[in-house]
C-alpha cells in the first residue's frame, strides 16, 4: 500500500483547554473501496472522529488527508449519513435527494440528468415508490434509506455512516445492512462506519477499528475481517472465521475495555 | 317476503360499514367541522348560562354585571355610542356622518386595521432583525444588549412617547402595537434559530452549502412553524395593546368607546365592546390558524396525541 486513500494522522480533539482530550493521536489509513468500521463503547469519541473526517469539527491536533488533499471543511466528497436521518421535514423524499444532487452537481448535469440521477439513487435504496412522500409519512427504516440515497447522490469519495442503523429494530436493521452491502459491492465506495453493534461490524467491514474508552481514547486494536464477499448473514452465522472475529471484538470490548460504569456496578 | 327479508339482512351484513355511515349524510370532514362548531357553541353556552343563572338568582347585580341578554338585547341602542363622525370640525353638520350601524363597523375596521398593520410591521421587522443578528456577529454585539434591555419594558410605558412622537391618529396606536411585539418577537426569533436541529445544518454543510444558502434553505424554513405560533400568541397581545393606545386621542376605535363607557359608567356598553373584541380576536386567530395550516402542511399534526391517555 503506497499512498493511502484516506489518511487520519495523529488526530486529537479537545473540547476545552482544561478538559482531557476526547481523542488522542488517532492514526488510521483507509484504502480505496475499503469498508472500515469504528467500534467502541458509547461516549468514547467515535462520532467525534467521524465529524473530524467529515470536516464538521476541527481537530485540535493532527489532520485528515483525502486523496492527497487536507480536509479543512465539510464537502460533498465526504457525505455523511447521520444516526437520526436528518431529512428536511418540509421537503418530500425526492426533494431531499434532489437538493443534494442540485447542490453538488448543479452545473455539470442537465435538468433531466439531475432528475434521472435522483431517481437512480432512490431506486438504489428501493424507495422510488415513495418519492412523493414527506419524511413524517414514512417509517424510520425508510427515512434512513433516503438518508443513504441522499449521501450516495453526492457521489462521495468516502461515505461516512454515523451509527446509521442504531435507532432501528433488528429486522429492519438486518434488511438495511444487506442493502448497504449490496450497494458497497455495486459501487465500490469507500465506507467508514461508526457502530456499537459487534455483529454489524463483523458482517459489513473489511477492517474493524476498536477504540478504547474515553477520555483520551486511542485506537486499541485493528482487526482484519478475512471473510469472502459477497457475504450472506445466514451462511456466516456458523462460519468459524466469523465467530472468531466476533469473539475477538467482544473480548476487546467486554474483557479488556469494559465500560467504566460497569466495573463498579 | 321472507326472501326479501333474508336479502336485506345479508345485504346489511355484507356492508356493515356502508350501513353505519349512511344515516349521517355528511362527508367526514364536514362532520368534524360540525362537531367542532357544536363544541364551541356548547363551551360559550355554558359560560353564558352560568352568567345568566347568576343574574336570574339575583347573585349578580344587572346594573354592574349585565348578562348577555341585556347588553346584546338592544344593539341599535348600543350602536348610538359608536360615533365616528368628525363633528367637531367647523362647517360639518352634527347630524351628518355614518349611521350608528355603519359607525360600529367603521370602529371595528379601524381597530382591526391598527392591529394587523402593527402586527405585520412588527413581524417583518423582528424576524428580519432576528435573522440578521444571528447572521452578522457585529450586529448582534451592537444591538442585542439594547434589545434585551428594552424588551421587559411594558408597552404602557411607551404610550406617552407614542403621543409625543406621533401625536394623535392611527400612527401612535400602530406604534404601540409594534413596540409591544417587536422586542419579544426578535428575541424569540433568535432563540428559535439557535434551536434548529444541528443535523439539518450539518447536512447542508456536507453538501457544500454556503452560509447564505444554509440560512435561506434550512434555517428559515425550519423556524417558520414556531414563528407562526409566536405570531398567533402575539396577536392577542396586539389586541390588548391597541385598546390601551386607543383610549388616548385616536379619534375613534373600540378602545375609545370602552374608555368612554367607563367614564360614563355604562357597564352594558363595556360588555358589548368586550363581546365584540372577543369575537374579533377569535376570528383573527381562526384566520391565522388557516394560514398556518396552508403554509405548514408538512408539520405533523400533534394536537390530540394525548387524548388517548
Amino acid at each position: 500500500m503506497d499512498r493511502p486513500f484516506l489518511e487520519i494522522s495523529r488526530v486529537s480533539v479537545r473540547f476545552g483547554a482544561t478538559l482531557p482530550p476526547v481523542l488522542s493521536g488517532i492514526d488510521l489509513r483507509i484504502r480505496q473501496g475499503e469498508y472500515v468500521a469504528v467500534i467502541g463503547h458509547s461516549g468514547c469519541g467515535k462520532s467525534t472522529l467521524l465529524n473530524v473526517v467529515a470536516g464538521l469539527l476541527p481537530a485540535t491536533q493532527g489532520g485528515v488527508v483525502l486523496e492527497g488533499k487536507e480536509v479543512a471543511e465539510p464537502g460533498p466528497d465526504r457525505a455523511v449519513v447521520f444516526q437520526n436521518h436528518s431529512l428536511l421535514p418540509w421537503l418530500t423524499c425526492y426533494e431531499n435527494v434532489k437538493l443534494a444532487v442540485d447542490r453538488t452537481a448543479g452545473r455539470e448535469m442537465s435538468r433531466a440528468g439531475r432528475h434521472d440521477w435522483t431517481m437512480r439513487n432512490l431506486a438504489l435504496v428501493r424507495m422510488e415508490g415513495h418519492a412523493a412522500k414527506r419524511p413524517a409519512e414514512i417509517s424510520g427504516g425508510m427515512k434512513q434509506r433516503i438518508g443513504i440515497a441522499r449521501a450516495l447522490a453526492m457521489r462521495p469519495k468516502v461515505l461516512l455512516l454515523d451509527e446509521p442503523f442504531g435507532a432501528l429494530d433488528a429486522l429492519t436493521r438486518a434488511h438495511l445492512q444487506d442493502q448497504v452491502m449490496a450497494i458497497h459491492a455495486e459501487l465500490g465506495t469507500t465506507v467508514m462506519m461508526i457502530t456499537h453493534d459487534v455483529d454489524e461490524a463483523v458482517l459489513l467491514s473489511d477492517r474493524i477499528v476498536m477504540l478504547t474508552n474515553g477520555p483520551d481514547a486511542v485506537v486499541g486494536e485493528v482487526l482484519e475481517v478475512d471473510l469472502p464477499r459477497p457475504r450472506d448473514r445466514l451462511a456466516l452465522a456458523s462460519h468459524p472465521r466469523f465467530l472468531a472475529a466476533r469473539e475477538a471484538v467482544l473480548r476487546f470490548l467486554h474483557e479488556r475495555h469494559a465500560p467504566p460504569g460497569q466495573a463498579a456496578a | 317476503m321472507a326472501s326479501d327479508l333474508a336479502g336485506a339482512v345479508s345485504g346489511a351484513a355484507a356492508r356493515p360499514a356502508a350501513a353505519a355511515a349512511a344515516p349521517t349524510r355528511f362527508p367526514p370532514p364536514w362532520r368534524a367541522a360540525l362537531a367542532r362548531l357544536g363544541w364551541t357553541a356548547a363551551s360559550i353556552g355554558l359560560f353564558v348560562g352560568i352568567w345568566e343563572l347568576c343574574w336570574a338568582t339575583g347573585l349578580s347585580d344587572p346594573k354592574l354585571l349585565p348578562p348577555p341578554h341585556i347588553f346584546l338585547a338592544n344593539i341599535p341602542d348600543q350602536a348610538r355610542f359608536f360615533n365616528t363622525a368628525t363633528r367637531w370640525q367647523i362647517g360639518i353638520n352634527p347630524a351628518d356622518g355614518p349611521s350608528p350601524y355603519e359607525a360600529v363597523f367603521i370602529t371595528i375596521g379601524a381597530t382591526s386595521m391598527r392591529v394587523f398593520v402593527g402586527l405585520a410591521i412588527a413581524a417583518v421587522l423582528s424576524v428580519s432583525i432576528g435573522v440578521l443578528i444571528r447572521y452578522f456577529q457585529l450586529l448582534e454585539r451592537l444591538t442585542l444588549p439594547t434589545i434585551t434591555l428594552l424588551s421587559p419594558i411594558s408597552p404602557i410605558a411607551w404610550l406617552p412617547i407614542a403621543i409625543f412622537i406621533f401625536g394623535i391618529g392611527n400612527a401612535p396606536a400602530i406604534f404601540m402595537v409594534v413596540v409591544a411585539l417587536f422586542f419579544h418577537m426578535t428575541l424569540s426569533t433568535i432563540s428559535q434559530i439557535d434551536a434548529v436541529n444541528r443535523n439539518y445544518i450539518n447536512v447542508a454543510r456536507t453538501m457544500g452549502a454556503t452560509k447564505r444558502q444554509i440560512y435561506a434553505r434550512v434555517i428559515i424554513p425550519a423556524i417558520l412553524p414556531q414563528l407562526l405560533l409566536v405570531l398567533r400568541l402575539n396577536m392577542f397581545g396586539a389586541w390588548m395593546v391597541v385598546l390601551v393606545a386607543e383610549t388616548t386621542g385616536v379619534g375613534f376605535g373600540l378602545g375609545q368607546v370602552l374608555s368612554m363607557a367607563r367614564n360614563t359608567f355604562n357597564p352594558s356598553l363595556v360588555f358589548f365592546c368586550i363581546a365584540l373584541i372577543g369575537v374579533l380576536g377569535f376570528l383573527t386567530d381562526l384566520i391565522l390558524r388557516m394560514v398556518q395550516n396552508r403554509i405548514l402542511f408538512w408539520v405533523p399534526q400533534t394536537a390530540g396525541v394525548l387524548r388517548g391517555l
Side-chain angles (χ1 to χ4, degrees):
Chain A
M1 187 163 87
D2 41 345
R3 270 204 77 86
F5 184 66
L6 174 69
E7 187 173 11
I8 302 170
S9 46
R10 282 182 237 124
V11 164
S12 297
V13 179
R14 194 188 277 271
F15 285 123
T18 55
L19 295 168
V22 178
L23 295 168
S24 77
I26 303 288
D27 261 313
L28 194 60
R29 278 158 186 74
I30 297 176
R31 294 185 298 271
Q32 185 155 20
E34 197 178 14
Y35 198 120
V36 173
V38 178
I39 199 166
H41 290 292
S42 63
C44 76
K46 309 184 289 279
S47 293
T48 307
L49 180 63
L50 183 119
N51 283 339
V52 171
V53 177
L56 294 168
L57 188 75
T60 315
Q61 276 165 29
V64 177
V65 176
L66 175 63
E67 271 198 323
K69 268 194 287 186
E70 184 170 3
V71 166
E73 53 181 13
D77 53 347
R78 284 153 285 125
V80 185
V81 178
F82 293 93
Q83 181 176 10
N84 45 4
H85 72 80
S86 57
L87 301 177
L88 301 178
W90 54 89
L91 300 180
T92 61
C93 294
Y94 173 82
E95 288 165 340
N96 263 291
V97 179
K98 184 81 178 340
L99 182 69
V101 175
D102 289 348
R103 283 277 137 260
T104 54
R107 282 185 200 84
E108 339 155 4
M109 273 192 202
S110 68
R111 233 179 132 76
R114 292 200 300 268
H115 168 80
D116 291 346
W117 180 240
T118 305
M119 289 313 286
R120 184 117 62 88
N121 281 283
L122 284 169
L124 207 56
V125 293
R126 312 241 161 80
M127 284 294 289
E128 65 270 48
H130 302 278
K133 290 188 182 161
R134 277 171 215 285
E137 298 167 331
I138 57 176
S139 71
M142 289 175 168
K143 284 180 206 167
Q144 207 52 281
R145 274 146 72 182
I146 299 291
I148 293 168
R150 178 173 63 182
L152 290 171
M154 296 187 224
R155 287 178 296 183
K157 290 175 184 159
V158 185
L159 183 63
L160 303 171
L161 307 176
D162 188 359
E163 298 191 23
F165 318 122
L168 305 175
D169 65 276
L171 290 174
T172 312
R173 191 185 310 158
H175 182 61
L176 277 192
Q177 285 165 350
D178 290 344
Q179 272 191 7
V180 166
M181 267 199 288
I183 290 168
H184 179 236
E186 192 184 329
L187 305 178
T189 320
T190 312
V191 183
M192 178 172 158
M193 175 178 74
I194 304 295
T195 184
H196 51 226
D197 182 334
V198 177
D199 286 344
E200 178 175 290
V202 178
L203 179 67
L204 294 177
S205 42
D206 300 314
R207 262 194 306 159
I208 302 175
V209 176
M210 294 171 249
L211 294 186
T212 63
N213 287 320
D216 230 353
V218 295
V219 175
E221 228 172 273
V222 179
L223 180 78
E224 292 274 346
V225 183
D226 188 18
L227 289 166
R229 286 182 189 273
R231 294 173 184 173
D232 174 68
R233 66 174 67 245
L234 286 177
L236 285 180
S238 54
H239 194 290
R241 265 185 284 173
F242 178 84
L243 294 175
R246 193 168 174 274
E247 192 188 340
V249 180
L250 282 172
R251 282 202 186 286
F252 176 89
L253 290 175
H254 297 292
E255 211 168 73
R256 272 162 289 160
H257 296 280
Q262 278 179 18
Chain B
M1 181 69 196
S3 70
D4 276 6
L5 200 66
V9 168
S10 71
R15 285 179 288 119
T24 55
R25 280 196 327 245
F26 296 110
W30 280 92
R31 233 183 301 160
L34 277 176
R36 231 179 6 249
L37 207 66
W39 282 111
T40 307
S43 167
I44 297 168
L46 190 69
F47 176 66
V48 168
I50 291 172
W51 194 349
E52 294 284 359
L53 199 70
C54 288
W55 165 80
T57 56
L59 210 64
S60 68
D61 184 346
K63 284 201 184 66
L64 300 178
L65 291 173
H69 84 268
I70 292 179
F71 69 75
L72 292 179
N74 201 346
I75 292 176
D77 195 42
Q78 303 276 32
R80 279 187 301 122
F81 295 104
F82 290 73
N83 187 346
T84 57
T86 48
R87 283 174 192 143
W88 61 85
Q89 283 179 7
I90 295 166
I92 287 180
N93 183 354
D96 285 351
S99 71
Y101 276 121
E102 283 166 3
V104 171
F105 283 105
I106 292 172
T107 308
I108 290 174
T111 303
S112 308
M113 181 276 287
R114 289 170 194 139
V115 166
F116 282 114
V117 171
L119 198 65
I121 294 176
V124 170
L125 214 59
S126 57
V127 171
S128 10
I129 290 187
V131 169
L132 288 175
I133 280 178
R134 265 292 166 268
Y135 198 92
F136 299 107
Q137 208 181 9
L138 180 67
L139 192 70
E140 170 178 349
R141 289 188 174 142
L142 285 177
T143 60
L144 196 55
T146 310
I147 288 173
T148 316
L149 179 86
L150 293 178
S151 66
I153 295 172
S154 161
I156 313 298
W158 290 99
L159 186 58
I161 294 158
I163 296 167
F164 297 160
I165 299 177
F166 295 103
I168 57 170
N170 283 323
I174 292 170
F175 170 81
M176 285 283 286
V177 172
V178 171
V179 97
L181 306 185
F182 169 74
F183 300 108
H184 176 201
M185 283 176 73
T186 304
L187 292 179
S188 135
T189 304
I190 294 171
S191 75
Q192 273 149 35
I193 292 174
D194 294 345
V196 171
N197 188 339
R198 302 304 305 174
N199 278 329
Y200 296 166
I201 296 166
N202 281 342
V203 164
R205 287 175 68 199
T206 55
M207 289 177 193
T210 61
K211 186 175 176 182
R212 200 173 56 80
Q213 287 167 335
I214 290 175
Y215 268 82
R217 302 291 295 265
V218 179
I219 290 179
I220 290 178
I223 64 174
L224 211 56
Q226 282 301 310
L227 279 184
L228 274 177
L229 184 68
V230 168
L231 195 68
R232 256 178 70 197
L233 296 178
N234 275 301
M235 189 209 59
F236 298 121
W239 272 105
M240 289 174 212
V241 169
V242 83
L243 296 182
V244 176
E246 282 176 350
T247 55
T248 53
V250 286
F252 52 88
L254 281 170
Q256 175 261 329
V257 177
L258 206 53
S259 116
M260 183 187 69
R262 188 195 63 193
N263 293 338
T264 55
F265 202 84
N266 188 344
S268 189
L269 184 58
V270 170
F271 281 115
F272 184 68
C273 287
I274 287 178
L276 282 180
I277 295 160
V279 170
L280 287 175
F282 188 84
L283 287 179
T284 43
D285 186 52
L286 195 71
I287 293 168
L288 273 184
R289 257 203 324 252
M290 276 155 63
V291 171
Q292 198 176 3
N293 289 343
R294 180 60 63 86
I295 301 179
L296 302 175
F297 53 86
W298 53 270
V299 176
Q301 292 290 327
T302 51
V305 285
L306 296 179
R307 221 160 268 161
L309 295 181

